Amino acid sequence: MTDAPRQRGRFITLEGPEGSGKSTAARHLVAWLRGQGVRAVLTQEPGGTPLGDEVRRIVLHMRGMSDDLEPRADALLYAAGRAQHVARVIRPALERGDWVVCARYADSSLAYQGAGYGNDPEEMRRLQEFATNGLWPDLTLLIDVPVEIGLERTRRRTEWNRFEDTEEIAFFETVRAAYLRLATAEPERFALVDGSVSVEEADAAITRAVAGRFFD
Ligand code: TYD
């Protein structure tokens, strides 16, 4: 008797501008999936591996460096972290049949390093293809929130990051608009979620989207 081949897991990412509630939503989604009997791994970018954690420190939390990165260097740093994360964590999990829920992924680089920092959009897309070896999510939940509301939420955080001193509202408006364009261009991959509502309401919208995509 041979074992039936194990089905590849699903790959779900959460995206959105600052303070849209992605990390909380990702945690709640994983708990909900586990409640449905699904084995689910929770991860995030930048991060997810020791290299990813170092990248996170360099690109976000080092005064004098994080806020002085050349756009191409910035894009390559995120891409390096992503390549390691995909090869060591995400792909192996999917191949063993686990689902992966990741807060931020390649679309963040398209929105921030591409639209936000002016790297060429096509080159940014090719860089993501290279870094991920062609792994795109099965579903991307774009949690959209007006820039002012999102920034107000992030002001409550304590750890310094590069955006605090440098970026203008206009930058985040550009990022938000880029996300909305990405979602419009790929409606079969994206689900749009209103992030300005309560956590419970956003969670409910997310589980509806996931159930509609994978369980109905
Ligand atoms: P994070 O602490 O994860 O905050 P948030 O709650 O907003 O997700 O910060 C991640 C920051 O890194 C965020 O400002 C966006 C930025 N980022 C990029 O610019 N490009 C990327 O590819 C990724 C993954 C993140």
Side-chain angles (χ1 to χ4, degrees):
M1 219 172 71
T2 53
D3 286 339
R6 195 171 265 182
Q7 215 190 343
R8 180 185 170 282
R10 306 285 189 172
F11 181 27
I12 302 173
T13 58
L14 291 96
E15 294 281 359
E18 312 300 297
S20 58
K22 293 171 298 296
S23 353
T24 308
R27 263 190 293 112
H28 292 175
L29 174 58
V30 163
W32 181 82
L33 284 170
R34 289 178 181 155
Q36 306 296 305
V38 168
R39 284 196 318 274
V41 173
L42 174 63
T43 187
Q44 61 157 15
E45 289 197 356
T49 67
L51 176 70
D53 292 339
E54 280 304 306
V55 167
R56 181 178 192 89
R57 214 164 58 80
I58 294 168
V59 295
L60 292 177
H61 298 304
M62 292 178 75
R63 273 186 209 271
M65 177 143 76
S66 314
D67 45 359
D68 187 33
L69 286 168
E70 277 298 317
R72 284 169 191 261
D74 192 38
L76 288 165
L77 284 164
Y78 280 108
R82 182 160 301 129
Q84 188 79 2
H85 192 204
V86 167
R88 296 290 170 84
V89 175
I90 300 176
R91 247 185 229 283
L94 296 173
E95 277 161 18
R96 11 172 235 274
D98 292 1
W99 291 35
V100 175
V101 173
C102 186
R104 293 196 182 277
Y105 186 65
D107 296 299
S108 281
S109 282
L110 300 180
Y112 286 76
Q113 280 65 51
Y117 291 107
N119 284 298
D120 180 78
E122 274 315 307
E123 286 181 343
M124 275 308 96
R125 198 170 275 280
R126 281 203 298 278
L127 181 58
Q128 305 318 306
E129 287 286 340
F130 178 74
T132 66
N133 202 359
L135 181 72
W136 289 89
D138 298 301
L139 173 65
T140 298
L141 299 152
L142 173 56
I143 310 184
D144 183 52
V145 70
V147 168
E148 290 288 1
I149 296 182
L151 288 179
E152 185 49 44
R153 289 178 184 165
T154 62
R155 281 187 198 112
R156 293 180 220 137
R157 294 178 194 171
T158 46
E159 196 177 10
W160 178 87
N161 84 34
R162 79 194 214 189
F163 293 112
E164 257 161 53
D165 311 331
T166 51
E167 299 305 341
E168 305 289 335
I169 296 282
F171 173 86
F172 294 109
E173 295 287 5
T174 303
V175 167
R176 182 184 183 207
Y179 269 132
L180 291 169
R181 279 198 306 278
L182 290 169
T184 307
E186 273 187 88
E188 60 298 333
R189 174 161 71 88
F190 277 88
L192 192 60
V193 175
D194 181 358
S196 62
V197 297
S198 69
V199 171
E200 293 73 24
E201 286 170 300
D203 285 348
I206 286 170
T207 50
R208 266 199 310 279
V210 171
R213 231 24 104 105
F214 302 121
F215 295 140
D216 281 356

